[in-house]
């Protein structure tokens, strides 16, 4: 039987899909994240090779709200796949959040001072490579920007040209507008770990615009660009965490 999911909602109580994010939106997102995912899932970071952290980086680009993603470089596991910035926790990291911010700076050149941390989502999930991955949510500002004078004024937009990518780790970074994440022509139901339905998101056009081909499908679920030949998707653990965030925003069920 084909997987079925309720269609996404086009309105969120926390943000506008087609209007730039404002301080008021960010305060609403922070509030709901703290209510649904209070405190830290695991306050003391485990610096073993079996833990990792990622950042879900919200931002305005061209006055459109969305999320930054990266296509992994050849020197990383699952090269050519789409992910959030992040990686393994180091012994020098004071927290899982610190690890997520450090990795975001190393991979995308985003200074931690540019990131307004909004909270976390959860629960953390074990990756296919055996890492317990802790996800956080933040809003990325331009390096030099001023705070809007009013809570309902737009936060300044980030320019993708301002990112400094680690070419060994990241082959491309792109901004996926929120409007496309609720567009039924861009998403399809998939079963996470063979059980729970969630939305996988097509980003083939973003990859092709950068001259990047999708990795070939494999016989292993969540490995490769997509189970659909020639297609690149946000799926697997990245897609699962994206769906948790979108559900928390009231956009997915």
């Amino acid at each position: 039987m084909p997987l079925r999911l309720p269609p996404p909602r086009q309105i969120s109580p926390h943000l506008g899909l087609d209007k730039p994010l404002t301080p008021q939106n960010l305060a609403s997102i922070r509030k709901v994240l703290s209510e649904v995912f209070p405190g830290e899932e695991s306050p003391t970071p485990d610096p073993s090779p079996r833990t990792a952290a990622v950042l879900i980086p919200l931002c305005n680009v061209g006055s459109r709200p969305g999320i930054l993603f990266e296509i992994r470089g050849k020197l990383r596991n699952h090269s050519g796949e789409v992910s959030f910035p992040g990686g393994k926790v180091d012994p020098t990291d004071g927290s899982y959040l610190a690890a997520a911010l450090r990795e975001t700076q190393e991979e995308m050149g985003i200074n931690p001072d540019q990131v307004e941390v909004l909270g976390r989502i959860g629960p953390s999930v074990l990756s296919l490579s055996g890492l317990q991955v802790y996800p956080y949510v933040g809003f990325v500002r331009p390096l030099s920007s001023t705070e809007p004078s009013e809570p309902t004024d737009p936060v300044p937009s980030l320019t993708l040209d301002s990112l400094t990518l680690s070419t060994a780790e990241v082959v491309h970074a792109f901004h996926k507008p929120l409007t496309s994440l609720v567009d039924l022509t861009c998403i399809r139901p998939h079963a996470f770990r063979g059980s729970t339905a969630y939305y996988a998101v097509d980003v083939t056009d973003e990859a092709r615009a950068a001259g990047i081909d999708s990795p070939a499908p494999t016989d292993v679920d969540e490995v490769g660009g997509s189970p659909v030949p020639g297609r690149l998707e946000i799926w697997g653990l990245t897609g699962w965490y994206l769906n948790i965030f979108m559900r928390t925003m009231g956009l997915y069920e």
Side-chain angles (χ1 to χ4, degrees):
M1 180 180 296
L3 286 171
R4 296 188 183 277
L5 284 170
R9 298 185 182 95
Q10 303 298 314
I11 297 176
S12 166
H14 309 291
L15 48 81
L17 294 177
D18 56 356
K19 296 179 181 178
L21 292 165
T22 67
Q24 187 176 75
N25 294 142
L26 301 183
S28 182
I29 295 170
R30 181 184 296 105
K31 183 174 185 294
V32 69
L33 289 175
S34 68
E35 291 171 349
V36 178
F37 308 105
E40 286 285 348
E41 180 181 344
S42 179
T44 304
D46 177 3
S48 75
R50 311 321 304 166
T51 57
V54 297
L55 181 71
I56 301 176
L58 305 177
C59 61
N60 294 324
V61 171
S63 296
R64 301 184 72 189
I67 301 175
L68 289 177
F69 293 91
E70 59 185 36
I71 300 178
R72 299 164 75 90
K74 292 183 178 180
L75 296 186
R76 297 173 69 186
N77 291 334
H78 305 291
S79 65
E81 297 180 13
V82 180
S83 69
F84 296 120
K88 293 180 181 178
V89 176
D90 282 352
T92 55
D93 293 320
S95 64
Y96 292 116
L97 173 60
L101 294 174
R102 174 184 54 75
E103 288 283 348
T104 298
Q105 183 173 25
E106 291 176 2
E107 294 171 10
M108 287 188 165
I110 294 172
N111 192 297
D113 292 341
Q114 293 177 249
V115 182
E116 179 177 348
V117 178
L118 301 176
R120 69 173 186 92
I121 60 170
S124 62
V125 176
L126 202 64
S127 72
L128 293 182
S129 57
L131 296 174
Q132 195 74 28
V133 182
Y134 294 85
Y136 292 86
V137 180
F139 181 84
V140 182
R141 287 177 160 79
L143 189 56
S144 299
S145 65
T146 57
E147 186 68 17
S149 57
E150 298 293 335
T152 55
D153 287 346
V155 181
S157 289
L158 185 74
T159 59
L160 297 183
D161 289 345
S162 69
L163 302 179
T164 304
L165 304 183
S166 169
T167 54
E169 297 182 283
V170 180
V171 67
H172 182 60
F174 62 92
H175 171 260
K176 192 67 173 170
L178 296 180
T179 50
S180 65
L181 299 177
V182 297
D183 184 344
L184 287 172
T185 67
C186 298
I187 59 179
R188 67 169 183 87
H190 191 73
F192 183 64
R193 306 286 161 90
S195 58
T196 308
Y198 74 107
Y199 277 120
V201 181
D202 184 14
V203 294
T204 310
D205 288 346
E206 286 84 351
R208 286 179 178 166
I212 299 169
D213 294 327
S214 173
T218 72
D219 294 331
V220 181
D221 192 34
E222 302 181 35
V223 176
S226 166
V228 183
R231 186 161 162 158
L232 185 63
E233 293 182 319
I234 303 166
W235 70 317
L237 187 53
T238 300
W240 179 250
Y241 283 157
L242 173 63
N243 275 246
I244 293 175
F245 174 75
M246 294 291 283
R247 286 200 301 269
T248 309
M249 295 300 103
L251 293 166
Y252 290 175
E253 290 190 20

